[in-house]
Coordinates of all heavy atoms in Angstrom, one line a residue:
M11 N -11.8 17.4 5.8 CA -10.8 17.5 4.7 C -11.6 17.8 3.4 O -12.7 17.4 3.2 CB -10.2 16.1 4.6 CG -8.9 16.1 4.0 SD -8.1 14.4 4.1 CE -6.5 14.9 4.7
K12 N -10.9 18.6 2.6 CA -11.5 19.0 1.4 C -11.3 18.0 0.3 O -10.3 17.2 0.3 CB -10.9 20.4 0.9 CG -11.2 21.5 1.9 CD -10.5 22.8 1.5 CE -10.8 23.8 2.6 NZ -10.1 25.0 2.4
T13 N -12.1 18.0 -0.7 CA -12.1 17.0 -1.8 C -10.7 17.0 -2.5 O -10.1 16.0 -2.7 CB -13.2 17.3 -2.8 OG1 -14.4 17.2 -2.1 CG2 -13.1 16.2 -3.9
Q14 N -10.2 18.2 -2.8 CA -8.9 18.3 -3.4 C -7.8 17.7 -2.6 O -6.8 17.1 -3.1 CB -8.6 19.7 -3.9 CG -7.3 19.9 -4.7 CD -7.4 19.0 -6.0 OE1 -8.4 19.1 -6.7 NE2 -6.4 18.2 -6.2
E15 N -7.8 17.9 -1.3 CA -6.8 17.4 -0.4 C -6.8 15.8 -0.4 O -5.8 15.2 -0.4 CB -7.0 17.9 1.0 CG -6.8 19.3 1.2 CD -7.2 19.9 2.6 OE1 -8.2 19.3 3.2 OE2 -6.6 20.8 3.0
I16 N -8.0 15.3 -0.5 CA -8.1 13.8 -0.6 C -7.6 13.3 -1.9 O -6.8 12.3 -2.0 CB -9.6 13.4 -0.4 CG1 -10.0 13.7 1.0 CG2 -9.8 11.9 -0.8 CD1 -11.5 13.5 1.3
R17 N -7.9 14.0 -3.0 CA -7.3 13.7 -4.3 C -5.8 13.8 -4.3 O -5.1 12.9 -4.9 CB -7.9 14.6 -5.4 CG -9.3 14.3 -5.7 CD -9.8 15.1 -6.9 NE -11.2 14.8 -7.2 CZ -12.2 15.6 -7.4 NH1 -11.9 16.9 -7.3 NH2 -13.4 15.2 -7.6
D18 N -5.3 14.8 -3.7 CA -3.8 15.0 -3.6 C -3.2 13.8 -2.9 O -2.2 13.3 -3.2 CB -3.5 16.3 -2.9 CG -3.8 17.5 -3.8 OD1 -4.0 17.4 -5.0 OD2 -3.8 18.6 -3.2
L19 N -3.9 13.3 -1.8 CA -3.3 12.2 -1.0 C -3.4 10.9 -1.9 O -2.4 10.1 -1.9 CB -4.2 12.0 0.3 CG -3.9 13.0 1.4 CD1 -4.9 12.8 2.5 CD2 -2.5 12.9 1.9
F20 N -4.4 10.7 -2.6 CA -4.5 9.5 -3.5 C -3.4 9.6 -4.6 O -2.8 8.6 -4.9 CB -5.9 9.4 -4.1 CG -6.8 8.6 -3.2 CD1 -7.6 9.3 -2.3 CD2 -7.0 7.3 -3.4 CE1 -8.5 8.6 -1.4 CE2 -7.8 6.5 -2.6 CZ -8.6 7.2 -1.6
D21 N -3.3 10.8 -5.2 CA -2.3 11.0 -6.2 C -0.9 10.7 -5.7 O -0.1 10.0 -6.3 CB -2.3 12.4 -6.8 CG -3.5 12.7 -7.7 OD1 -4.1 11.7 -8.1 OD2 -3.7 13.9 -7.9
Y22 N -0.6 11.2 -4.5 CA 0.7 10.9 -3.8 C 0.9 9.4 -3.6 O 1.9 8.8 -3.8 CB 0.8 11.7 -2.5 CG 2.1 11.3 -1.8 CD1 3.3 11.9 -2.2 CD2 2.1 10.4 -0.8 CE1 4.5 11.5 -1.5 CE2 3.3 10.0 -0.1 CZ 4.5 10.6 -0.5 OH 5.6 10.2 0.1
N23 N -0.2 8.7 -3.1 CA -0.1 7.3 -2.8 C 0.2 6.5 -4.1 O 1.0 5.6 -4.1 CB -1.5 6.8 -2.2 CG -1.4 5.4 -1.7 OD1 -0.5 5.1 -0.9 ND2 -2.3 4.6 -2.2
Y24 N -0.5 6.9 -5.2 CA -0.2 6.2 -6.5 C 1.3 6.4 -6.9 O 1.9 5.5 -7.4 CB -1.2 6.6 -7.6 CG -2.6 6.1 -7.3 CD1 -3.7 6.9 -7.3 CD2 -2.8 4.7 -7.1 CE1 -4.9 6.4 -7.0 CE2 -4.1 4.2 -6.9 CZ -5.1 5.1 -6.8 OH -6.4 4.6 -6.6
W25 N 1.7 7.7 -6.8 CA 3.1 8.0 -7.2 C 4.1 7.2 -6.3 O 5.0 6.6 -6.9 CB 3.3 9.5 -7.0 CG 4.7 9.9 -7.1 CD1 5.4 10.2 -8.3 CD2 5.7 10.1 -6.0 NE1 6.7 10.5 -8.0 CE2 6.9 10.5 -6.6 CE3 5.6 10.0 -4.7 CZ2 8.0 10.8 -5.9 CZ3 6.7 10.3 -3.9 CH2 7.9 10.7 -4.5
A26 N 3.9 7.2 -5.0 CA 4.8 6.5 -4.1 C 4.7 5.0 -4.4 O 5.8 4.3 -4.4 CB 4.4 6.8 -2.6
N27 N 3.6 4.4 -4.6 CA 3.4 3.0 -4.9 C 4.2 2.6 -6.2 O 4.9 1.6 -6.2 CB 2.0 2.6 -5.0 CG 1.3 2.4 -3.7 OD1 2.0 2.4 -2.6 ND2 0.0 2.3 -3.7
A28 N 4.1 3.5 -7.2 CA 4.8 3.2 -8.4 C 6.3 3.2 -8.2 O 7.0 2.3 -8.7 CB 4.5 4.3 -9.5
R29 N 6.8 4.0 -7.4 CA 8.3 4.0 -7.1 C 8.7 2.8 -6.3 O 9.7 2.2 -6.6 CB 8.6 5.3 -6.3 CG 8.5 6.6 -7.1 CD 9.2 7.7 -6.4 NE 10.6 7.4 -6.2 CZ 11.5 8.3 -5.9 NH1 11.2 9.5 -5.7 NH2 12.8 7.9 -5.7
V30 N 7.9 2.4 -5.3 CA 8.2 1.2 -4.6 C 8.1 0.0 -5.4 O 9.0 -0.9 -5.4 CB 7.2 1.1 -3.4 CG1 7.3 -0.3 -2.7 CG2 7.4 2.2 -2.4
L31 N 7.1 -0.1 -6.3 CA 7.0 -1.3 -7.2 C 8.2 -1.3 -8.2 O 8.7 -2.4 -8.5 CB 5.7 -1.3 -7.9 CG 4.5 -1.6 -7.0 CD1 3.2 -1.4 -7.7 CD2 4.5 -3.0 -6.4
D32 N 8.6 -0.2 -8.7 CA 9.7 -0.1 -9.6 C 11.0 -0.7 -8.9 O 11.8 -1.4 -9.5 CB 10.0 1.3 -10.1 CG 9.0 1.7 -11.2 OD1 8.3 0.8 -11.7 OD2 8.9 2.9 -11.4
A33 N 11.2 -0.3 -7.7 CA 12.4 -0.7 -6.9 C 12.2 -2.2 -6.6 O 13.2 -3.0 -6.7 CB 12.5 0.1 -5.6
A34 N 11.1 -2.7 -6.3 CA 10.9 -4.1 -5.9 C 11.1 -5.0 -7.1 O 11.5 -6.1 -7.0 CB 9.5 -4.3 -5.3
A35 N 10.8 -4.5 -8.3 CA 11.0 -5.3 -9.6 C 12.4 -5.6 -9.8 O 12.7 -6.6 -10.5 CB 10.4 -4.5 -10.7
K36 N 13.3 -4.9 -9.1 CA 14.8 -5.2 -9.3 C 15.3 -6.2 -8.3 O 16.5 -6.5 -8.3 CB 15.5 -3.9 -9.2 CG 15.1 -2.9 -10.3 CD 15.7 -1.5 -10.1 CE 15.2 -0.6 -11.2 NZ 15.3 0.8 -10.8
V37 N 14.5 -6.6 -7.3 CA 14.8 -7.5 -6.3 C 14.7 -9.0 -6.8 O 13.6 -9.3 -7.4 CB 14.0 -7.3 -5.0 CG1 14.3 -8.3 -3.9 CG2 14.2 -5.9 -4.5
S38 N 15.6 -9.8 -6.5 CA 15.5 -11.2 -6.9 C 14.4 -11.9 -6.1 O 14.0 -11.4 -5.0 CB 16.8 -12.0 -6.6 OG 17.0 -12.1 -5.2
K39 N 13.8 -13.0 -6.7 CA 12.8 -13.7 -6.0 C 13.3 -14.2 -4.6 O 12.5 -14.1 -3.6 CB 12.3 -14.9 -6.8 CG 11.2 -15.7 -6.2 CD 10.7 -16.8 -7.0 CE 9.6 -17.6 -6.3 NZ 9.1 -18.7 -7.1
A40 N 14.5 -14.7 -4.5 CA 15.0 -15.2 -3.3 C 15.1 -14.0 -2.2 O 14.7 -14.3 -1.1 CB 16.4 -15.7 -3.5
D41 N 15.5 -12.8 -2.6 CA 15.5 -11.7 -1.7 C 14.1 -11.3 -1.3 O 13.9 -10.8 -0.2 CB 16.3 -10.6 -2.2 CG 17.8 -10.8 -2.2 OD1 18.3 -11.7 -1.4 OD2 18.6 -10.2 -2.9
F42 N 13.2 -11.4 -2.2 CA 11.8 -11.0 -2.0 C 11.1 -11.8 -0.9 O 10.4 -11.2 -0.1 CB 11.0 -11.1 -3.3 CG 9.6 -10.5 -3.2 CD1 9.4 -9.1 -3.1 CD2 8.5 -11.3 -3.2 CE1 8.1 -8.6 -3.1 CE2 7.2 -10.8 -3.2 CZ 7.0 -9.4 -3.1
I43 N 11.4 -13.1 -0.9 CA 10.8 -14.0 0.1 C 11.7 -14.3 1.3 O 11.3 -14.9 2.3 CB 10.3 -15.3 -0.5 CG1 11.5 -16.1 -1.1 CG2 9.3 -15.0 -1.6 CD1 11.1 -17.4 -1.6
K44 N 12.9 -13.8 1.3 CA 13.9 -14.0 2.3 C 13.4 -13.5 3.7 O 13.0 -12.3 3.8 CB 15.2 -13.4 1.9 CG 16.3 -13.6 2.9 CD 17.6 -12.9 2.4 CE 18.7 -12.8 3.4 NZ 19.8 -12.1 2.9
T45 N 13.5 -14.3 4.7 CA 13.1 -13.9 6.1 C 14.1 -12.8 6.6 O 15.3 -13.0 6.4 CB 13.1 -15.1 7.0 OG1 12.1 -16.0 6.5 CG2 12.6 -14.6 8.4
S46 N 13.6 -11.8 7.2 CA 14.5 -10.8 7.7 C 13.9 -10.2 9.0 O 12.9 -10.7 9.5 CB 14.6 -9.6 6.7 OG 13.4 -8.9 6.6
A47 N 14.6 -9.3 9.6 CA 14.1 -8.7 10.9 C 13.1 -7.6 10.7 O 12.7 -6.9 11.6 CB 15.3 -8.1 11.6
M48 N 12.6 -7.4 9.4 CA 11.6 -6.4 9.2 C 10.3 -6.7 9.9 O 10.1 -7.8 10.3 CB 11.3 -6.2 7.7 CG 12.5 -5.8 6.9 SD 12.3 -5.4 5.1 CE 11.1 -6.5 4.6
N49 N 9.5 -5.7 10.0 CA 8.2 -5.9 10.8 C 7.3 -7.0 10.3 O 6.6 -7.7 11.0 CB 7.4 -4.6 10.8 CG 8.0 -3.5 11.6 OD1 8.9 -3.8 12.5 ND2 7.6 -2.3 11.4
Y50 N 7.3 -7.3 9.0 CA 6.4 -8.3 8.4 C 7.2 -9.5 7.9 O 6.7 -10.1 6.9 CB 5.5 -7.6 7.3 CG 4.7 -6.5 8.0 CD1 5.1 -5.2 7.9 CD2 3.6 -6.8 8.7 CE1 4.4 -4.2 8.5 CE2 2.9 -5.8 9.3 CZ 3.3 -4.5 9.2 OH 2.5 -3.5 9.8
E51 N 8.3 -9.8 8.4 CA 9.2 -11.0 8.2 C 9.9 -11.0 6.9 O 11.0 -11.6 6.8 CB 8.4 -12.2 8.3 CG 7.8 -12.5 9.7 CD 7.1 -13.8 9.8 OE1 7.1 -14.6 8.9 OE2 6.5 -14.0 10.9
S52 N 9.4 -10.3 5.8 CA 10.1 -10.3 4.5 C 9.5 -9.1 3.7 O 8.5 -8.5 4.1 CB 9.8 -11.6 3.8 OG 8.4 -11.7 3.4
L53 N 10.2 -8.9 2.6 CA 9.6 -7.9 1.7 C 8.3 -8.3 1.2 O 7.4 -7.5 1.1 CB 10.6 -7.7 0.5 CG 10.3 -6.5 -0.4 CD1 10.2 -5.2 0.3 CD2 11.4 -6.4 -1.5
R54 N 8.1 -9.6 0.9 CA 6.8 -10.1 0.5 C 5.7 -9.8 1.6 O 4.6 -9.4 1.3 CB 6.9 -11.5 0.2 CG 5.5 -12.1 -0.3 CD 5.7 -13.5 -0.8 NE 5.5 -14.5 0.2 CZ 5.5 -15.8 0.0 NH1 5.9 -16.3 -1.2 NH2 5.3 -16.6 0.9
G55 N 6.0 -10.0 2.8 CA 5.1 -9.8 3.9 C 4.8 -8.3 4.0 O 3.6 -7.9 4.3
T56 N 5.7 -7.5 3.8 CA 5.5 -6.0 3.8 C 4.5 -5.6 2.7 O 3.6 -4.8 2.9 CB 6.8 -5.2 3.7 OG1 7.7 -5.6 4.8 CG2 6.6 -3.7 3.7
F57 N 4.7 -6.2 1.5 CA 3.8 -5.9 0.4 C 2.4 -6.4 0.7 O 1.4 -5.7 0.3 CB 4.3 -6.4 -0.9 CG 5.3 -5.5 -1.6 CD1 6.7 -5.6 -1.4 CD2 4.8 -4.5 -2.4 CE1 7.5 -4.7 -2.0 CE2 5.7 -3.6 -3.1 CZ 7.0 -3.7 -2.8
A58 N 2.3 -7.6 1.3 CA 1.0 -8.1 1.6 C 0.3 -7.2 2.6 O -0.9 -6.9 2.5 CB 1.1 -9.5 2.2
H59 N 1.0 -6.6 3.6 CA 0.5 -5.7 4.5 C 0.0 -4.4 3.8 O -1.1 -3.9 4.1 CB 1.5 -5.3 5.6 CG 1.1 -4.2 6.5 ND1 0.2 -4.3 7.4 CD2 1.6 -2.9 6.5 CE1 0.0 -3.1 8.0 NE2 0.9 -2.2 7.4
L60 N 0.8 -3.9 3.0 CA 0.5 -2.6 2.2 C -0.8 -2.8 1.4 O -1.7 -2.0 1.4 CB 1.6 -2.2 1.3 CG 2.9 -1.7 2.1 CD1 4.0 -1.5 1.1 CD2 2.6 -0.4 2.9
L61 N -0.9 -4.0 0.7 CA -2.1 -4.3 -0.1 C -3.3 -4.4 0.8 O -4.4 -3.8 0.5 CB -1.9 -5.6 -0.9 CG -3.0 -6.0 -1.8 CD1 -3.3 -4.9 -2.8 CD2 -2.7 -7.3 -2.4
G62 N -3.2 -5.1 1.9 CA -4.3 -5.2 2.8 C -4.8 -3.8 3.4 O -5.9 -3.5 3.5
A63 N -3.8 -3.0 3.8 CA -4.1 -1.7 4.3 C -4.8 -0.8 3.2 O -5.8 -0.1 3.5 CB -2.9 -1.0 4.8
E64 N -4.3 -0.9 2.0 CA -5.0 -0.1 1.0 C -6.4 -0.6 0.7 O -7.3 0.2 0.5 CB -4.2 -0.2 -0.3 CG -4.7 0.8 -1.4 CD -3.6 1.1 -2.4 OE1 -2.4 1.1 -2.1 OE2 -4.1 1.5 -3.5
W65 N -6.6 -1.9 0.7 CA -7.9 -2.5 0.6 C -8.9 -2.0 1.7 O -10.0 -1.6 1.4 CB -7.9 -4.0 0.6 CG -9.2 -4.7 0.6 CD1 -10.1 -4.7 -0.5 CD2 -9.8 -5.4 1.6 NE1 -11.3 -5.4 -0.1 CE2 -11.1 -5.8 1.2 CE3 -9.4 -5.6 2.9 CZ2 -12.0 -6.5 2.0 CZ3 -10.3 -6.4 3.8 CH2 -11.5 -6.8 3.3
I66 N -8.4 -2.0 2.9 CA -9.2 -1.6 4.1 C -9.6 -0.1 3.9 O -10.8 0.3 4.0 CB -8.5 -1.8 5.4 CG1 -8.4 -3.3 5.7 CG2 -9.1 -1.0 6.5 CD1 -7.5 -3.6 6.9
W67 N -8.6 0.8 3.5 CA -9.0 2.2 3.4 C -9.9 2.4 2.2 O -10.8 3.3 2.3 CB -7.7 3.0 3.3 CG -7.1 3.3 4.6 CD1 -6.0 2.7 5.1 CD2 -7.6 4.1 5.6 NE1 -5.8 3.2 6.4 CE2 -6.8 4.0 6.7 CE3 -8.7 5.0 5.7 CZ2 -7.0 4.8 7.9 CZ3 -9.0 5.7 6.8 CH2 -8.1 5.6 7.9
R68 N -9.7 1.7 1.1 CA -10.6 1.9 0.0 C -12.0 1.5 0.4 O -13.0 2.2 0.0 CB -10.1 1.0 -1.2 CG -11.0 1.2 -2.4 CD -10.5 0.4 -3.6 NE -11.4 0.6 -4.7 CZ -11.1 0.5 -5.9 NH1 -9.9 0.3 -6.3 NH2 -12.0 0.7 -6.9
T69 N -12.2 0.4 1.1 CA -13.5 -0.1 1.5 C -14.1 1.0 2.5 O -15.3 1.3 2.4 CB -13.4 -1.4 2.2 OG1 -12.8 -2.4 1.3 CG2 -14.7 -1.9 2.7
R70 N -13.3 1.5 3.4 CA -13.8 2.6 4.3 C -14.3 3.8 3.5 O -15.4 4.3 3.8 CB -12.7 3.0 5.2 CG -12.4 2.0 6.3 CD -11.2 2.4 7.1 NE -11.0 1.5 8.2 CZ -9.8 1.4 8.9 NH1 -8.9 2.3 8.6 NH2 -9.7 0.5 9.8
C71 N -13.6 4.2 2.5 CA -14.0 5.3 1.7 C -15.2 5.0 0.8 O -16.1 5.9 0.7 CB -12.9 5.8 0.8 SG -11.5 6.5 1.6
E72 N -15.3 3.9 0.3 CA -16.4 3.5 -0.6 C -17.7 3.2 0.1 O -18.8 3.5 -0.3 CB -16.0 2.4 -1.6 CG -15.0 2.8 -2.6 CD -14.6 1.6 -3.5 OE1 -14.9 0.4 -3.2 OE2 -14.0 1.9 -4.5
E73 N -17.5 2.4 1.2 CA -18.7 1.9 2.0 C -19.0 2.6 3.3 O -20.0 2.4 3.9 CB -18.5 0.4 2.2 CG -18.4 -0.4 0.9 CD -18.2 -1.8 1.1 OE1 -18.3 -2.3 2.3 OE2 -17.9 -2.5 0.2
G74 N -18.0 3.4 3.7 CA -18.2 4.2 4.9 C -18.0 3.4 6.2 O -18.4 3.8 7.3
K75 N -17.4 2.2 6.1 CA -17.2 1.3 7.2 C -16.0 0.4 7.0 O -15.6 0.2 5.8 CB -18.4 0.5 7.6 CG -18.8 -0.5 6.5 CD -20.0 -1.2 6.8 CE -20.4 -2.1 5.6 NZ -21.6 -2.9 5.8
S76 N -15.4 -0.1 8.1 CA -14.3 -1.0 7.9 C -14.8 -2.4 7.6 O -15.8 -2.8 8.1 CB -13.5 -1.1 9.2 OG -12.8 0.1 9.5
P77 N -14.1 -3.1 6.7 CA -14.5 -4.4 6.3 C -14.3 -5.4 7.4 O -13.5 -5.2 8.3 CB -13.6 -4.8 5.1 CG -12.4 -3.9 5.3 CD -12.9 -2.7 6.0
A78 N -15.1 -6.4 7.4 CA -15.0 -7.5 8.5 C -13.8 -8.3 8.1 O -13.4 -8.5 7.0 CB -16.2 -8.4 8.5
S79 N -13.1 -8.8 9.2 CA -11.9 -9.6 9.0 C -12.2 -11.0 8.5 O -13.2 -11.5 8.7 CB -11.2 -9.7 10.3 OG -10.8 -8.5 10.8

């Protein structure tokens, strides 16, 4: 992968995250933590998963390996 392609992916990720966070800011606290049939039990669980995945990929890029659990 070329450097510019990686930069484009990061730029897209930041753009998409901003849109998701803007939408989430409009959700009530009750709806944010409400249990649902989603993969990660709630919107809060989904955000925790996204944050963890981003941390793992950042560590892989910076250190060249996956972080220990």
Side-chain angles (χ1 to χ4, degrees):
M11 202 173 229
K12 296 177 183 171
T13 302
Q14 187 57 50
E15 292 171 331
I16 294 170
R17 286 187 180 128
D18 290 343
L19 287 172
F20 273 88
D21 287 344
Y22 175 80
N23 189 55
Y24 290 125
W25 170 84
N27 282 347
R29 291 193 60 169
V30 169
L31 291 172
D32 285 344
K36 298 172 185 160
V37 175
S38 70
K39 182 178 178 180
D41 285 339
F42 187 71
I43 62 175
K44 180 180 168 184
T45 302
S46 71
M48 296 188 326
N49 289 343
Y50 300 99
E51 295 183 8
S52 67
L53 186 55
R54 181 169 96 179
T56 300
F57 274 92
H59 168 74
L60 292 172
L61 180 62
E64 189 157 332
W65 173 72
I66 287 170
W67 279 106
R68 181 177 178 154
T69 302
R70 286 175 178 163
C71 290
E72 289 177 347
E73 299 176 12
K75 61 182 178 182
S76 289
S79 300

